Amino acid sequence: MNSKEYEIEYFKEEGFIRKKCKKCDSHFWTRDKDRDICGDAPCEIYSFIGRPIFEERSVEEVREAFLSFFEHCSHKHTRMKRYPVVARWRDDIYLNIASIANFQPLVTSGKVAPPANPLVISQPCIRLEDLESIGKTGRHLTMFEMMGHHAFNKRGEEEIYWKNETVKYCDEFLRQLGVDMNSITYKEAPWVGGGNAGPCLEVITNGLELATLVFMDLKLSPRGNGEISLNGQRYNKMDTYIVDTGYGLERFVWASKGTPTVYDAIFPGIIAELVDAAGIEHPMEKHSDTMAKIASLSGTMSSGEIAKRLNITPEFIKNILKPMESIYAVADHSKCLAFMLADGIVPSNAKEGYLVRLVLRRAFRMLKALGIEMPLEDIILTQIKTLRRSFPELQNAGDRVVEIVSLEHRRYGETLSKGERIVRQKAREWKQKGEQKIPLDTLINLYDTYGLPPEFVKEVATEQESGMDVQVDIPENFYSLVASMHSGEEKKGNEEPFAEKMEEKTKTIPATKKLYYEEPSAVEFKATVLDVICGALPHDPASPVKAYDSVVLDRTLFFPEGGGQPADTGILTIKDESRALNVVDVQEVDGVILHKIENGGISKGAVVSGHIDTERRIAHTRHHSATHIVVCAARKVLGGHVWQAGAQKGEKRARIDITHFKRISDIERREIEVLANRMVMENKDIIARFEDRNEAERKYGFGIYQGGVPPGEKIRIVRIGADEDVQACAGTHCSKTGEVGPIKILRTERIQDGIERIEYSAGEAAVEAMQAREELIRKSASTLKVPYEKLPVAVERFFDEWKQLRKENERLRTEIAELRIGSLKEHAKEISGVRVIAAVIPDADTKEMMKIASPLSKDNFLTILIGKREKHAAVVASVPAYLKDEIDASVLVKQVCEVLGGSGGGKAEIAQGGGERVEKVEEAMKEGLRMLEKKLRNRMK
């Protein structure tokens, strides 16, 4: 980057000198004319260990000093409350990774005004990219607070402030804390991230980077022809230019205490408890000198290099350093989990739920390795108690944290119990392939699919006594690698979305006036055709491949598909013509609404009358309002962690997917239904209006983004009652909850780990659903010839009788099988020294033949059995244990089933299958015997 970017007036005024580091060749600014290194690790060791940089301060004191400084400086900054650690306002990342992430992408792009300008915030952030380093380096954290002051400038407008003031403020804040100003260096380090870039200064003292000052003013050129080259890519200047600073709160506290690690500075109480629970001594008690030396070098070299330089014995590493690394990591992870769980993340196998489970299970494993029996949930509660003055909101989630963590611990134990068999199977597969090592992609798959940590896989796969002994190499960055794979929303396939295809065709067309907002009860309207786009494909890829014309009107009542609500349908009638055009789909592209008609023939400028399908619209409107009501009721019953994970509204029913950590019980389902209908009967107002985004976020919080993140400075907010439910929503809604009509929950189900689906009907559809269920009950009672009220007793009695008959049936099957075994043994024939039973058994099913084949194989008989029924033939084959390495029952069954027009499979000892070509039973048996004879003859050679 051009050196002129760093020629800042303040540096000149204060007598700073620009130098080049003799170790890393980076340029830096310093007041010290004798300094020849940049001061950053690894060029300089941590010289503050045991010698604090300034007077000791607590986390609360440093945070308040920073926020107050910027509130009262010449550019009075507005103090902002923290944002959640789960990035609800973003659709590209799951966790909040920096204070600037609060304002991306809408504010940073200039599309939306900042909530205040300038502003200051201390934002809890989570980054899992360095997960393996936690506890080892002494400085890495998963959960940290990024103190930042931000100024959002726009070209052509009055500047808030830029580089000069930013550096000046930094210098003044450090001076206020008591930092030796000659020890401070500002290292030039151009910043790149998220499609943006800009000059950057890293603020360093005593080997420790305390802050980063980013001057974001570049954006990546989409065509690669930008004016500025940086890191092999081309950039252009942004319309905005932004002061993006990050001061590490925990690092400032560490610098003020001079402890060997940042963990000792931030978590002294938790670490003391964990050390005591593990039955070990903190190394600072007996090895303070050694620990201080290790800490001072930790930023400059690896742990192996430090051990070699200080002559540290392997016993010291194993018995003292390694346990402390795990204790430090648990202390860090427990704080991270306190914020993740309190802010509403539910453990699952996807998105942010995957990441919280990753941290949970890493903490479980470390506690077990340390021999600490203290439940993880108790450690997290201790963190919440410690944090209560700064973050009182965390305490509201205490009960939920205990329930989730204890449930996850039980599930983790079940996972490991089942995992041993899975690992053994995988190890055998690799040994059979001649491989002596389980590859990395298999390790990742075992963790991703089955939740099996690589340490557990290694423990099982390398057991020599079990005959496994397969090599497992675990990369140091395994967990970081897995976390990075799940840190952001995956991009869809290569197929270009409908909106992107149409953008070029619609960019010159004015936005359509949305009458469905202005006149929500209207069903007819008049409009003028602004354009006709010929040959546009239907939005639904499942639709027949047929070209439709898309009509753009100046105004419309037709609601376009969005937010899980299907598009309106209806007709367009051309003025002075009797011909009606069927509107089969409606889509919106950047404010332009496209009406897809299946019988074309309309011209630009034509005047049309539109009529929407009223019944369809009313049904969708009721179901959309019902969705908000059901989610509101679910949050009241299940907890504040409930978050919408998907929705679909139809004419007869709707569904909502929500995050929840366990199955919804029948009692909870009924309670949700009662609460939802109570809201309906209370006939609360449903108010929809456009509001300023920042104001809406301030008033209602980020829960407004339950249904997704809409673009724009103004967003449509839908409120029910006295703000009982508030969401950003573009859908059609009733004006009162009473208009929704009755709500009937049809069923609930778990669609994936951590996601529950609630399916329901509203209005007339709910009445129809209840009537249908009533009819089922009536028919069932009629069939059993009992009154409605006695139906449960009658069903239970019939079920008990059925179970008794089933047991009797099983007993008779066993007796028949035993009788048949004796008869089959008598007709066995010998092939190449092997006793073989091959028989076609009329009316026998697979279960019956399995009962016959299993004991026969134990008696060293090889069997091929075919059960012949009217329309299906079942096949079972079994092989004695002494022959399973030479003859595979599954291969034998597949060969027989192929003749029968079916398939089969199983294990080497026993397999099953079948087919529909019953007439070829005898031919199939001959094929099986032919294959068997061939294999047995080869065995004798």
Side-chain angles (χ1 to χ4, degrees), residues 211-238:
T212 304
L213 314 178
V214 175
F215 305 103
M216 187 193 303
D217 66 346
L218 299 175
K219 60 182 178 182
L220 193 64
S221 171
R223 293 185 174 85
N225 58 352
E227 302 169 0
I228 301 161
S229 177
L230 187 61
N231 291 352
Q233 292 185 301
R234 308 294 299 186
Y235 290 83
N236 290 315
K237 287 288 185 180
M238 296 165 55

Side-chain angles (χ1 to χ4, degrees), residues 66-67 69-70 73 77 96-104 108 118-123 125 127 144-153 161-171 173 186 191 199-203 209-216 241-249 252:
F66 180 84
L67 296 173
F69 175 86
F70 283 96
C73 69
H77 294 64
N96 196 336
I97 57 174
S99 59
I100 194 65
N102 299 339
F103 315 111
Q104 289 175 317
T108 53
L119 59 83
V120 63
I121 188 170
S122 187
Q123 175 61 47
C125 302
R127 294 182 187 175
F144 60 94
E145 278 186 63
M146 182 178 286
M147 304 184 297
H149 62 95
H150 301 282
F152 303 91
N153 301 294
Y161 66 83
W162 190 224
K163 297 176 186 177
N164 201 60
E165 294 88 343
T166 302
V167 176
K168 180 181 178 182
Y169 285 144
C170 181
D171 231 33
F173 178 63
Y186 290 87
W191 174 85
C200 169
L201 291 167
E202 294 175 352
V203 186
E209 181 185 338
L210 289 176
T212 304
L213 314 178
V214 175
F215 305 103
M216 187 193 303
Y241 54 109
I242 298 163
V243 173
D244 170 21
T245 66
Y247 291 65
L249 171 60
F252 275 87

Side-chain angles (χ1 to χ4, degrees), residues 125-424:
C125 302
I126 297 176
R127 294 182 187 175
L128 304 180
E129 291 83 358
D130 297 310
L131 209 48
E132 275 79 16
S133 300
I134 309 301
K136 294 180 180 178
T137 63
R139 67 184 185 277
H140 281 96
L141 297 162
T142 56
M143 163 81 212
F144 60 94
E145 278 186 63
M146 182 178 286
M147 304 184 297
H149 62 95
H150 301 282
F152 303 91
N153 301 294
K154 271 193 174 183
R155 301 191 193 281
E157 297 182 5
E158 185 178 353
E159 186 173 277
I160 308 298
Y161 66 83
W162 190 224
K163 297 176 186 177
N164 201 60
E165 294 88 343
T166 302
V167 176
K168 180 181 178 182
Y169 285 144
C170 181
D171 231 33
E172 288 178 354
F173 178 63
L174 295 177
R175 182 181 286 110
Q176 178 178 294
L177 290 177
V179 178
D180 176 7
M181 304 310 286
N182 281 329
S183 72
I184 300 168
T185 59
Y186 290 87
K187 179 183 172 183
E188 297 176 8
W191 174 85
V192 172
N196 295 114
C200 169
L201 291 167
E202 294 175 352
V203 186
I204 303 156
T205 179
N206 292 267
L208 182 66
E209 181 185 338
L210 289 176
T212 304
L213 314 178
V214 175
F215 305 103
M216 187 193 303
D217 66 346
L218 299 175
K219 60 182 178 182
L220 193 64
S221 171
R223 293 185 174 85
N225 58 352
E227 302 169 0
I228 301 161
S229 177
L230 187 61
N231 291 352
Q233 292 185 301
R234 308 294 299 186
Y235 290 83
N236 290 315
K237 287 288 185 180
M238 296 165 55
D239 295 330
T240 56
Y241 54 109
I242 298 163
V243 173
D244 170 21
T245 66
Y247 291 65
L249 171 60
E250 291 80 5
R251 291 200 170 196
F252 275 87
V253 176
W254 185 20
S256 81
K257 294 186 177 182
T259 53
T261 71
V262 70
Y263 317 111
D264 293 298
I266 304 300
F267 311 117
I270 295 282
I271 288 170
E273 283 190 44
L274 292 172
V275 165
D276 185 59
I280 63 175
E281 289 184 347
H282 196 299
M284 285 302 292
E285 293 178 13
K286 291 185 178 180
H287 308 279
S288 57
D289 289 344
T290 302
M291 291 300 292
K293 290 176 183 176
I294 291 171
S296 66
L297 295 171
S298 63
T300 64
M301 56 184 70
S302 68
S303 56
E305 291 170 331
I306 293 172
K308 187 175 180 180
R309 178 166 174 174
L310 299 179
N311 294 318
I312 297 175
T313 64
E315 290 75 19
F316 185 87
I317 294 172
K318 178 182 177 182
N319 299 325
I320 296 177
L321 288 186
K322 289 297 180 185
M324 279 310 299
E325 286 175 359
S326 293
I327 284 173
Y328 288 149
V330 170
D332 165 88
H333 289 7
S334 58
K335 181 181 178 183
C336 179
L337 290 165
F339 277 89
M340 287 177 122
L341 297 172
D343 279 4
I345 302 180
V346 174
S348 69
N349 290 330
K351 299 185 177 182
E352 64 271 12
Y354 180 98
L355 298 173
V356 72
R357 178 167 285 168
L358 176 68
V359 179
L360 275 166
R361 293 192 168 183
R362 197 163 188 266
F364 289 145
R365 181 177 58 78
M366 289 178 170
L367 286 173
K368 184 178 179 181
L370 288 164
I372 294 177
E373 295 183 358
M374 185 191 308
L376 178 59
E377 54 266 35
D378 288 356
I379 303 170
I380 298 172
L381 289 179
T382 301
Q383 289 279 21
I384 289 175
K385 186 178 179 182
T386 303
L387 295 162
R388 68 185 183 279
R389 282 185 299 173
S390 301
F391 304 101
E393 68 275 11
L394 300 183
Q395 294 183 100
N396 299 330
D399 291 342
R400 184 170 77 243
V401 167
V402 170
E403 187 174 7
I404 288 177
V405 178
S406 59
L407 181 62
E408 281 295 302
H409 187 256
R410 192 182 78 233
R411 288 173 175 166
Y412 182 56
E414 292 168 355
T415 294
L416 296 185
S417 297
K418 296 174 184 175
E420 195 166 325
R421 177 183 56 80
I422 295 168
V423 174
R424 290 181 189 279

Side-chain angles (χ1 to χ4, degrees), residues 618-619 622-623 626 651-652 677 680 734 737-744 760-770:
I618 291 173
R622 282 175 173 158
H623 278 126
E651 291 183 67
K652 296 299 181 183
N677 281 287
V680 169
C734 303
T737 57
E739 295 171 13
V740 173
I743 296 173
K744 178 63 184 173
Y760 48 92
S761 291
E764 290 180 18
V767 174
E768 290 171 4
M770 288 185 275

